[in-house]
Amino acid sequence: MQTASLSRRSFLRGGMRAVAPAVRPPWARAEAAFLAACTRCDACIDACPTAILLRADGGFPGVDFSAGAGECTFCGECVAHCEPQALVRSAEGGAPWALKAGVGRGCLAESGVECRVCGESCPVGAIRFRPRLGGVALPQLDADACTGCGACFAPCPTRAIAMTVDRVANEFPTESER
Ligand code: SF4
Ligand code: SF4
Ligand code: SF4
């Protein structure tokens, strides 16, 4: 299993001072091949219309869903501008990345406070709210439907959404991850 590229505490909350490796732009080659190919030219960063790509560790590009418009639209502009082909989209398409959202313990609804912001932010309807007798509706994330676009991350008022490559949807983070 791939190590989570995003650490909620060190990367998403702490900007680019990440100790964990950054999440690379969509359609990035596997990390070693990406690092070998990427010339740190910033072309992908400059091309991203939602401005979620920033210089990360060592000057290599990384994704920050708290930056810019906060979501990847999978427009492919970063790939199109990557001349060294550190980012490559095959003719068959293929998933841009293995990122998925997960809802963690800071969730207001889990604490009994009505909130559906993440569900309202999701462009593909991957977060639905499950009614509960005697309580507020709880978010339920469909991992298969989630594209990892990150649109639900920044709007969450408690930053309860985690974007990770190895987290099962709705699996709550451990205390050591907080
Ligand atoms: S696919 Fe488009 S929106 Fe997503 S990171 Fe690349 S340029 Fe930005
Ligand atoms: S466009 Fe390609 S080579 Fe240039 S910084 Fe981005 S990933 Fe690296
Ligand atoms: S990351 Fe997943 S759950 Fe969040 S808005 Fe994008 S598709 Fe929806």
Side-chain angles (χ1 to χ4, degrees):
M1 183 182 292
Q2 189 178 349
T3 305
S5 298
L6 288 180
S7 156
R8 280 166 52 79
R9 188 171 52 191
S10 63
F11 185 79
L12 291 173
R13 284 185 174 156
M16 305 309 283
R17 298 184 307 277
V19 289
V23 167
R24 300 305 174 199
W27 295 286
R29 293 182 183 274
E31 184 69 3
F34 171 82
L35 293 176
C38 177
T39 59
R40 293 173 270 188
C41 69
D42 290 351
C44 55
I45 296 172
D46 295 340
C48 179
T50 57
I52 59 166
L53 301 183
L54 300 172
R55 282 198 146 211
D57 53 313
F60 293 97
V63 175
D64 185 349
F65 289 119
S66 62
E71 71 176 298
C72 179
T73 60
F74 306 109
C75 66
E77 285 299 310
C78 51
V79 182
H81 285 78
C82 181
E83 287 188 17
Q85 298 197 324
L87 314 176
V88 182
R89 185 148 58 159
S90 68
E92 303 81 50
W97 49 30
L99 275 182
K100 299 285 179 186
V103 182
R105 283 202 195 97
C107 172
L108 289 175
E110 294 283 353
S111 305
V113 178
E114 180 72 34
C115 176
R116 300 190 183 204
V117 169
C118 56
E120 290 160 1
S121 307
C122 179
V124 296
I127 306 177
R128 295 176 188 273
F129 279 78
R130 193 177 68 239
R132 243 185 349 159
L133 267 181
V136 304
L138 297 178
Q140 190 154 39
L141 204 150
D142 180 347
D144 291 334
C146 176
T147 63
C149 72
C152 55
F153 173 78
C156 174
T158 59
R159 287 288 161 95
I161 301 287
M163 300 297 302
T164 57
V165 295
D166 63 349
R167 185 180 305 284
V168 175
N170 280 346
E171 175 191 335
F172 283 31
T174 64
E175 285 306 316
S176 63
E177 291 176 301
R178 290 175 174 273

